[in-house]
Amino acid sequence: MIQKPQKSSFQKNRHLIPYILLAASLFAMFCMVTEPTRDDFYYQSIPAGSPKEVLDFLRMLYFNWSSRMVTEPLVLLLVNLDMTVWRVFCVANILGIALSVRYLLGIRNSVWKNSVLCMLVGAFPFSYYASAGWITTTAIYLISISLGLVALYPLRRLLDGKKSAWWENALFILSAVLSCNHEQVGAVVLGVYLCSCVYCAVLRRKVARMQICQIVIAAASILFVLTCPGDAVRVETEIQTWLPEYADWTVPEKLLRGVFHAVDYYFYTAGINFFAFALVFLLALALFLSPGKKPQKALALGGALWLCLAVGTILLQRLGLLARDMLFPWEEYGVNMLSRGVDVARAATALLLLFLLFGELFWLFGNSPSFWAGAMFLAAGFGSAAVLGFSPTIYASGNRVFSIFIYATIVLICHIVNQVFADTCGRRERLALLAAGAFSLASTAKNIWLVAGA
């Protein structure tokens, strides 16, 4: 019997090379930031030399500004350390996000699939993290998102039929407690676990205790946010500062404006959201490579061409070759979607594109767990942005509030790649890699340009 030659250690672990390159590129990117900015200086001015001073600061925040009692002490710590520590913190968290996505989606040792994941995670628009101070924003958002993904690990264990040790369950619970202190992450974790409970109750006739536990933690965290007196003070202050007309909006109007603002950002933002662009093209590519009806493929192609037209128009507007009020008028932070009336035609086409994405997912996967998982990823990201219509802080917060939306898109793209394409890189797979790589390269180029100037 002829024995097959054993693979070397390098061949077995080639799929880890993209993660090493990701860490190196991230560290280089954050080395472009040489000093604190904006809110970082405020936190540096806070006396925090003893536990009592930190508690006094947190008490002041709780009654006057914020419910984020978990991440605020981390900000105080990071702003008083060397910038190298902050850079390592950022790289570690983003690398944790990438590895968590790999684990949750069950991506195996395919080099090209792990490369797609790392390219997309590395191409996240990091300039978003400069909007309230580099250290402040990354400390609040990155730790919440990375731990929020760890809080979802029990779902992967449930799908694999594996049991967790007590210390693993303790880690998952602690991750939920820490991450859900961020209201957007808490809402996503709660929504995902509620959906998983419905799935398990209907198809498996059994709901795991960890699912119930994480739901209770996420719901309690959101209740804590809603009852925090500081949040009420903050809302009142920011209504007066940013959006006085917010006080007169009804609940349906807040919902409508939140939805419109979310889809407008996703497809027509002046900053060009290459992740939505990549998702539209990858879905269209997957549909064209799979057997299906011609009308479905034509609709997918039409959506991709429409988005090309929109992005091309916006780029010409940014270059000054077209007036800003032509076809896709835009202002910083989506002003026209909130305080100057809704551009109905623009918002309606964006909403249609979003519905088309849900439709394409169904055409691709049919009524299967893969469809419902993909739809949940898209709905979670969209919901995390649409809920901002209930807060006037959307003006003050800037684009960083869409971080979860972008990460949800990255998860969705990797889910499609993992489910539709093979582990080995054939012709179809090279096309998918080319599509994801082209938009990742565009995002990276924009990153270098924006981060250098941020």
Side-chain angles (χ1 to χ4, degrees):
M1 182 182 291
I2 300 176
Q3 293 183 344
K4 294 182 179 180
Q6 292 185 344
K7 292 183 177 180
S8 66
S9 177
F10 173 77
Q11 289 176 317
K12 289 180 180 178
N13 297 304
R14 283 187 307 168
H15 64 282
L16 297 178
I17 294 177
Y19 296 93
I20 297 172
L21 295 175
L22 172 64
S25 63
L26 287 172
F27 191 80
M29 182 73 69
F30 284 111
C31 280
M32 298 171 71
V33 182
T34 57
E35 60 183 17
T37 55
R38 300 192 180 186
D39 286 0
D40 299 341
F41 297 118
Y42 165 72
Y43 282 97
Q44 283 182 334
S45 69
I46 302 298
S50 67
K52 182 180 181 303
E53 289 179 330
V54 174
L55 288 174
D56 288 341
F57 172 66
L58 292 178
R59 189 178 298 110
M60 182 277 294
L61 280 180
Y62 179 76
F63 286 103
N64 294 281
W65 193 249
S66 175
S67 59
R68 295 172 182 172
M69 300 294 100
V70 175
T71 49
E72 299 289 349
L74 179 61
V75 178
L76 286 177
L77 174 65
L78 285 176
V79 295
N80 289 293
L81 295 175
D82 187 80
M83 291 291 287
T84 302
V85 177
W86 167 75
R87 294 183 187 110
V88 172
F89 166 84
C90 292
V91 172
N93 274 279
I94 297 171
L95 202 58
I97 290 172
L99 292 170
S100 292
V101 172
R102 178 180 185 269
Y103 173 72
L104 290 171
L105 293 182
I107 297 174
R108 298 180 182 178
N109 295 345
S110 168
V111 175
W112 83 272
K113 288 183 178 180
N114 284 285
S115 297
V116 168
L117 168 58
C118 289
M119 283 192 302
L120 293 174
V121 170
F124 181 94
F126 294 111
S127 60
Y128 286 8
Y129 294 141
S131 56
W134 281 106
I135 301 174
T136 303
T137 309
T138 49
I140 291 173
Y141 278 82
L142 285 181
I143 195 71
S144 300
I145 294 172
S146 60
L147 290 180
L149 289 170
V150 174
L152 299 177
Y153 276 27
L155 296 180
R156 182 72 257 173
R157 296 292 177 90
L158 187 65
L159 290 173
D160 293 340
K162 296 180 180 178
K163 292 185 177 180
S164 302
W166 68 267
W167 63 268
E168 291 175 315
N169 287 329
L171 174 63
F172 302 150
I173 290 171
L174 179 62
S175 296
V177 171
L178 297 177
S179 63
C180 291
N181 190 229
H182 189 292
E183 54 274 19
Q184 284 181 283
V185 176
V188 170
V189 170
L190 178 62
V192 170
Y193 269 104
L194 286 175
C195 290
S196 73
C197 281
V198 172
Y199 171 80
C200 290
V202 173
L203 297 180
R204 299 195 175 196
R205 306 292 181 181
K206 184 180 180 181
V207 176
R209 284 179 293 181
M210 274 301 296
Q211 289 173 283
I212 301 299
C213 180
Q214 301 295 69
I215 286 175
V216 170
I217 292 172
S221 300
I222 293 173
L223 182 63
F224 176 79
V225 171
L226 294 175
T227 56
C228 171
D231 272 15
V233 174
R234 180 175 182 172
V235 167
E236 184 177 352
T237 301
E238 293 195 339
I239 286 175
Q240 297 172 358
T241 305
W242 299 101
L243 202 58
E245 54 270 43
Y246 177 86
D248 300 323
W249 291 355
T250 62
V251 170
E253 190 171 9
K254 291 175 183 177
L255 176 62
L256 190 64
R257 289 175 182 268
V259 168
F260 280 163
H261 185 70
V263 293
D264 183 70
Y265 159 80
Y266 199 52
F267 295 112
Y268 301 144
T269 173
I272 312 298
N273 182 7
F274 287 107
F275 291 90
F277 211 32
L279 176 59
V280 168
F281 271 78
L282 195 67
L283 262 174
L285 176 64
L287 281 170
F288 269 89
L289 294 175
S290 63
K293 297 179 181 179
K294 290 183 179 180
Q296 296 171 345
K297 295 183 178 182
L299 276 173
L301 178 61
L305 291 175
W306 172 259
L307 199 56
C308 277
L309 170 65
V311 171
T313 302
I314 293 168
L315 283 171
L316 291 175
Q317 289 174 329
R318 295 205 67 177
L319 292 171
L321 300 177
L322 287 179
R324 288 189 177 186
D325 57 353
M326 286 185 62
L327 292 178
F328 299 99
W330 55 268
E331 301 271 355
E332 288 298 322
Y333 306 135
V335 173
N336 66 314
M337 284 290 137
L338 290 172
S339 66
R340 296 186 182 176
V342 173
D343 187 324
V344 177
R346 171 168 146 171
T349 57
L351 204 54
L352 283 174
L353 277 175
L354 184 68
F355 288 146
L356 179 60
L357 290 185
F358 281 104
E360 290 178 21
L361 284 171
F362 184 78
W363 299 333
L364 187 62
F365 294 119
N367 187 14
S368 67
S370 293
F371 162 70
W372 289 108
M376 182 180 66
F377 298 147
L378 185 56
F382 176 71
S384 71
V387 74
L388 294 170
F390 290 90
S391 172
T393 61
I394 193 168
Y395 265 149
S397 296
N399 285 333
R400 66 182 179 274
V401 297
F402 294 103
S403 297
I404 296 172
F405 206 171
I406 292 178
Y407 278 120
T409 301
I410 292 173
V411 173
L412 179 53
I413 291 174
C414 292
H415 172 67
I416 295 168
V417 165
N418 194 42
Q419 294 296 321
V420 174
F421 301 97
D423 286 341
T424 54
C425 199
R427 182 181 178 184
R428 297 166 70 250
E429 287 69 34
R430 284 195 293 269
L431 283 172
L433 181 63
L434 178 64
F439 294 112
S440 175
L441 183 62
S443 300
T444 302
K446 188 179 73 170
N447 259 351
I448 296 172
W449 175 51
L450 291 176
V451 175

